[in-house]
Amino acid sequence: MTLLAQLAEAVATGTIEVVDLTAPLSHETPILQLPEPFNNTVRFELREISRYDERGPAWYWNDIVTGEHVGTHFDAPVHWVTGRDGEDVAQVAPQRLIAPAVVLDASDRAAADPDHLLQVQDVREWEAKYGPLPDGGWLLYRTGWDARSGGQAEFLNANETGPHTPGVSAECAKWLAEQTPLRGIGVETVGTDAGAAHGFDPPFPCHSYMLGAGKYGLTQLRNLDRLPTRGAVLIAAPLPIVGGSGSPVRVLALVEREG
């Protein structure tokens, strides 16, 4: 039996579980909200063309309206000014969309402090316990924030001082981008940066450092609690939008289970 046939059989029998890490996409999907004078993305919307009626008696279909960075989505390097000469989403090589993934769980700390920031020491301690970060792989940062994804207000968690969501410190973002073999970082929040990251130096350091280094971001993931700490393989398939800075993405994890 070929290797691919073995994979297909393992998926069919459940020896390899396919875990969907993607949030459902609808008009209710929470979106990033930037303050004035900055422009904001539109919400996702279906615009019906026909539904088994006089507009088209045997078929149902829609136009879709969405921003590139709505719901579970992929950030390409060109999304940020530091990566402006890098890849757009259509230029990302297909083989780079399949990679190993590890999970760093900080959900207990984020529950106690919504402004919790991942530090270099946290990652070093994780590596001491679980082994090195995967070469050409993803670091999936679990904070438990997907439990808030049912509504915009709870998900953004903003007050008069701005949004309060967990993220990565500027020092750690720089270190992950420049000193590790990672391909990218994935998070459960609306963006890869913390809610307060507009006030960091540099502002939005995950975007600035990771995309500037030619690496990628995945946001608004869910079901990270169903993944092992290490051993999963991630498939992240954005639309190949020519010139696009990102795209809604279906993110699947392959997890080997005991037979």
Side-chain angles (χ1 to χ4, degrees):
M1 184 180 292
T2 66
L3 189 60
L4 287 177
Q6 292 177 45
L7 173 62
E9 182 179 12
V11 170
T13 60
T15 305
I16 292 179
E17 181 184 5
V18 181
V19 181
D20 196 346
L21 307 184
T22 317
L25 190 56
S26 75
H27 185 70
E28 303 302 318
T29 298
I31 60 173
L32 182 69
Q33 195 64 42
L34 297 175
E36 293 183 352
F38 304 116
N39 285 350
N40 279 291
T41 187
V42 298
R43 288 188 175 277
F44 179 85
E45 182 183 352
L46 286 179
R47 294 182 179 175
E48 188 174 280
I49 302 170
S50 67
R51 194 179 183 112
Y52 328 120
D53 52 27
E54 67 280 358
R55 299 170 297 170
W59 52 88
Y60 164 56
W61 60 336
N62 303 283
D63 289 326
I64 62 173
V65 178
T66 187
E68 299 168 320
H69 301 268
V70 171
T72 304
H73 64 269
F74 184 101
D75 289 346
V78 75
H79 176 46
W80 213 250
V81 64
T82 51
R84 65 192 307 167
D85 297 321
E87 297 169 318
D88 67 36
V89 71
Q91 293 171 326
V92 178
Q95 63 267 31
R96 293 179 66 81
L97 302 176
I98 303 174
V102 298
V103 179
L104 191 155
D105 188 349
S107 56
D108 54 343
R109 286 166 280 180
D113 176 14
D115 291 310
H116 174 74
L117 298 178
L118 186 69
Q119 305 291 341
V120 173
Q121 185 60 31
D122 298 324
V123 184
R124 290 193 183 280
E125 290 174 0
W126 184 96
E127 287 186 297
K129 186 174 182 179
Y130 298 109
L133 295 173
D135 191 357
W138 291 91
L139 173 62
L140 305 181
Y141 178 39
R142 181 173 180 247
T143 58
W145 212 255
D146 58 334
R148 294 170 169 259
S149 61
Q152 175 89 358
E154 185 179 11
F155 197 65
L156 297 187
N157 197 37
N159 60 19
E160 65 279 358
T161 63
H164 296 275
T165 60
V168 181
S169 73
E171 178 190 13
C172 187
K174 180 176 172 60
W175 180 77
L176 291 173
E178 299 177 359
Q179 302 298 322
T180 75
L182 291 174
R183 181 160 298 167
I185 186 170
V187 302
E188 297 166 322
T189 46
V190 74
T192 55
D193 274 296
H198 59 280
F200 293 2
D201 183 18
F204 306 105
C206 245
H207 285 78
S208 182
Y209 289 124
M210 294 294 287
L211 301 182
K215 299 185 177 184
Y216 311 129
L218 290 172
T219 75
Q220 286 180 253
L221 300 174
R222 56 173 53 190
N223 295 325
L224 296 186
D225 59 324
R226 294 175 54 190
L227 303 187
T229 301
R230 64 184 313 131
V233 170
L234 203 70
I235 303 171
L239 298 171
I241 303 169
V242 175
S245 71
S247 166
V249 62
R250 190 74 179 260
V251 183
L252 305 175
L254 304 181
V255 179
E256 190 171 359
R257 303 299 189 192
E258 293 184 5

